[in-house]
């Protein structure tokens, strides 16, 4: 249904929600005309920034209205905020580890060359690839991958919060086309402008793109070696230390939980910090920060320089921890020694998919059966828990699955 065909109450609801969220108003056909006018007027800005009129007009040929999916994504506010273990369970699991290990074997010749050229650990690069696009699987989903010019123009036109960002990324994206690295048709990305296997925004692509396969173009959309090399180049240029880890799981006295700042590993050792697996630290002179993401009752880590370099990719502790931990497991390290203080027994990916199937049969869940417990699954779990008279905590636990199997 287009904006022009929406009934009056739907148009009013859209206007009200847009006002609340800081988005531009989205009335009816007038919005389409306004969007087209915005595209026409922005051409001058793009040309002044170095984009040819030919490229600009080709990028917007046939684009007459904002992308409603982008609008919905921009409005979306998750109902549930992931705990650190929810976040890691969805990203570091038997499936992501097994696929990473398979890709490690399959791509060995390329990974050898990338490691030699950039000095970044292959397992970290595979973990980033997994985190960003599930080893490229997401790129085949039309509901996720969108034509980038339309997406960025939609944000620039309707989303006040992201408008400046979207304008700069749109200009950068068109410069990529102008360079000849990708065609207009191939210029795709997420709703917010992240592109290719390793999800680079256009300005970051221009700063770090690497042509690993030597064909003259850094193709992060279809050439996995180029995408992994581009990620490696970002990490290298942000200070990645070759041959060193991102951090260590440790056992630490609870009283150190509030201690901030970096110390040498030798200094941490004097305070009672030990590696959780019982091994010695390779070096006492390396500096590290102590982190306890779930408090003193959960796993503790000494985070070294490379952990903070990973945050140049995504400035979130949970992201960097997931990349590091997944990379370790792809390389053959086992799970964490200290489990997270969940308060329940967690499910495997296969069991979580089974739980989603039960929720679907009860009419509570209509999302993907993928074993990933996001806000949709959590809401459905809570509805089911209330219906059977148990504590509605939203956790995908073995106890809950046992109840479902008996019903």
């Amino acid at each position: 249904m287009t904006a022009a065909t929406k009934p009056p109450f739907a148009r009013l609801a859209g206007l009200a929600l847009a006002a609340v969220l800081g988005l531009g108003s989205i009335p009816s056909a007038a919005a389409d005309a306004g969007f087209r006018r915005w595209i026409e007027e922005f051409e001058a800005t793009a040309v002044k920034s170095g984009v040819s009129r030919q490229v600009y007009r080709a990028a917007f040929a046939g684009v007459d209205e904002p992308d409603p999916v982008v609008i919905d994504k921009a409005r979306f506010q998750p109902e549930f905020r992931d705990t650190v273990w929810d976040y890691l369970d969805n990203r570091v699991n038997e499936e992501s580890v097994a696929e990473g290990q398979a890709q490690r074997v399959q791509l060995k010749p390329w990974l050898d060359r990338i490691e030699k050229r950039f000095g970044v650990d292959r397992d970290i690069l595979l973990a980033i690839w997994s985190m960003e696009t599930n080893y490229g699987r997401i790129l085949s989903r039309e509901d996720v991958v969108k034509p980038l010019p339309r997406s960025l123009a939609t944000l620039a036109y309707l989303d006040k919060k992201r408008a400046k960002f979207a304008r700069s990324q749109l200009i950068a994206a068109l410069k990529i086309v102008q360079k000849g690295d990708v065609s207009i048709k191939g210029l795709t990305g997420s709703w917010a402008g992240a592109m290719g296997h390793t999800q680079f925004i256009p300005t970051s692509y221009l700063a770090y793109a690497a042509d690993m396969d030597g064909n003259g173009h850094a193709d992060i959309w279809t050439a996995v070696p180029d995408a992994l090399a581009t990620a490696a180049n970002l990490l290298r240029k942000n200070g990645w230390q070759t041959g060193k880890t991102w951090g260590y799981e440790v056992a630490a006295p609870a009283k150190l939980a509030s201690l901030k700042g970096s110390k040498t590993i030798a200094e941490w050792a004097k305070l009672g910090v030990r590696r959780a697996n019982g091994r010695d630290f390779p070096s006492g002179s390396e500096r590290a920060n102590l982190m306890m993401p779930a408090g003193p009752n959960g796993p503790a880590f000494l985070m070294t320089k490379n952990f903070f370099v990973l945050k140049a990719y995504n400035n979130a502790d949970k992201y960097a921890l997931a990349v590091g931990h997944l990379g370790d497991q792809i390389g053959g390290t086992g799970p964490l020694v200290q489990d997270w203080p969940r308060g329940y027994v967690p499910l495997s990916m296969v069991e979580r998919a089974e739980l989603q199937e039960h929720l679907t049969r009860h009419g509570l869940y209509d999302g993907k059966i993928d074993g990933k417990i996001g806000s949709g699954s959590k809401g459905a779990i809570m509805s089911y828990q209330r219906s059977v008279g148990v504590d509605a905590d939203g956790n995908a636990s073995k106890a809950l699955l046992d109840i479902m199997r008996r019903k």
Side-chain angles (χ1 to χ4, degrees):
M1 181 184 294
T2 66
T5 59
K6 286 182 180 179
F9 68 83
R11 295 200 298 270
L12 289 171
L15 267 168
L17 183 57
V20 169
L21 296 175
L23 298 174
S25 60
I26 314 169
S28 58
D32 296 346
F35 182 59
R36 189 65 223 179
R37 187 164 55 251
W38 183 93
I39 291 172
E40 291 170 357
E41 292 173 351
F42 192 69
E43 180 177 331
T45 302
V47 169
K48 187 177 179 180
S49 300
V51 176
S52 75
R53 293 188 188 279
Q54 181 182 6
V55 166
Y56 188 89
R57 292 175 183 179
F60 287 106
V63 178
D64 295 318
E65 60 183 8
D67 187 332
V69 174
V70 172
I71 296 169
D72 288 343
K73 294 286 189 182
R75 290 170 171 165
F76 177 67
Q77 298 294 325
E79 184 179 352
F80 303 98
R81 186 174 178 86
D82 281 348
T83 62
V84 63
W85 52 86
D86 282 337
Y87 185 89
L88 264 70
D89 286 348
N90 281 332
R91 293 161 178 83
V92 186
N93 50 63
E94 60 270 28
E95 291 183 5
S96 60
V97 171
E99 181 62 22
Q101 291 174 337
Q103 294 290 347
R104 197 179 198 268
V105 174
Q106 183 175 335
L107 294 173
K108 183 181 184 305
W110 284 115
L111 293 169
D112 288 345
R113 292 170 62 184
I114 293 169
E115 250 185 16
K116 183 177 180 180
R117 178 173 166 184
F118 296 101
V120 177
D121 181 84
R122 67 190 61 200
D123 298 324
I124 290 293
L125 298 176
L126 291 168
I128 288 173
W129 187 21
S130 173
M131 292 279 291
E132 296 297 338
T133 61
N134 192 17
Y135 303 102
R137 291 188 180 96
I138 285 175
L139 300 183
S140 63
R141 287 178 49 185
E142 292 183 0
D143 62 321
V144 174
V145 179
K146 318 287 290 178
L148 207 65
R150 186 186 182 199
S151 296
L152 291 173
T154 297
L155 290 176
Y157 175 60
L158 288 173
D159 189 340
K160 293 178 181 178
K161 183 174 67 174
R162 298 180 178 91
K164 183 178 179 181
F165 164 85
R167 290 194 298 268
S168 67
Q169 296 309 317
L170 176 55
I171 289 170
L174 297 180
K175 287 181 177 180
I176 296 169
V177 173
Q178 195 161 289
K179 284 177 59 184
D181 286 346
V182 67
S183 66
I184 289 292
K185 184 178 180 181
L187 183 63
T188 59
S190 72
W191 69 271
M195 309 180 303
H197 282 270
T198 43
Q199 293 291 277
F200 271 66
I201 60 172
T203 50
S204 293
Y205 172 96
L206 291 176
Y208 303 112
D211 172 24
M212 195 67 208
D213 60 16
N215 70 351
H217 302 291
D219 179 3
I220 65 173
W221 296 266
T222 64
V224 171
D226 287 3
L228 296 180
T230 297
N233 194 29
L234 180 153
L235 295 177
R236 180 188 67 169
K237 288 187 174 180
N238 280 279
W240 184 267
Q241 296 184 327
T242 302
K244 293 188 177 181
T245 185
W246 58 275
Y248 304 93
E249 186 189 358
V250 297
K255 65 182 180 181
L256 300 182
S258 60
L259 200 58
K260 305 297 182 184
S262 71
K263 301 180 183 296
T264 67
I265 287 178
E267 289 171 333
W268 284 117
K270 287 181 180 179
L271 293 172
V273 177
R274 300 287 183 269
R275 289 188 71 179
N277 61 14
R279 299 175 186 168
D280 293 332
F281 291 108
S283 169
S285 61
E286 191 172 14
R287 299 194 71 83
N289 291 58
L290 180 65
M291 290 189 179
M292 299 181 184
N297 294 323
F301 304 90
L302 283 182
M303 303 304 197
T304 61
K305 164 78 175 191
N306 283 345
F307 175 83
F308 298 96
V309 175
L310 287 173
K311 291 181 67 175
Y313 210 104
N314 181 325
N315 190 26
D317 287 345
K318 287 190 287 190
Y319 178 89
L321 175 59
V323 168
H325 183 38
L326 177 56
D328 283 352
Q329 291 212 34
I330 289 171
T333 301
L336 296 176
V337 174
Q338 173 66 46
D339 200 2
W340 299 103
R342 293 179 177 88
Y344 63 91
V345 179
L347 301 174
S348 68
M349 286 293 284
V350 171
E351 289 171 329
R352 280 185 275 169
E354 180 189 345
L355 181 144
Q356 289 172 327
E357 289 173 348
H358 286 294
L359 293 170
T360 299
R361 283 197 292 273
H362 284 280
L364 300 172
Y365 178 69
D366 61 0
K368 293 185 179 297
I369 307 298
D370 57 6
K372 295 183 179 180
I373 306 300
S375 60
S377 295
K378 279 187 169 289
I381 288 170
M382 292 177 72
S383 294
Y384 181 82
Q385 288 172 323
R386 284 191 286 266
S387 74
V388 296
V390 299
D391 184 27
D393 56 20
N395 293 324
S397 66
K398 282 193 178 293
L400 177 63
L401 183 57
D402 286 344
I403 292 172
M404 289 180 159
R405 286 170 171 169
R406 295 195 299 268
K407 294 292 184 181

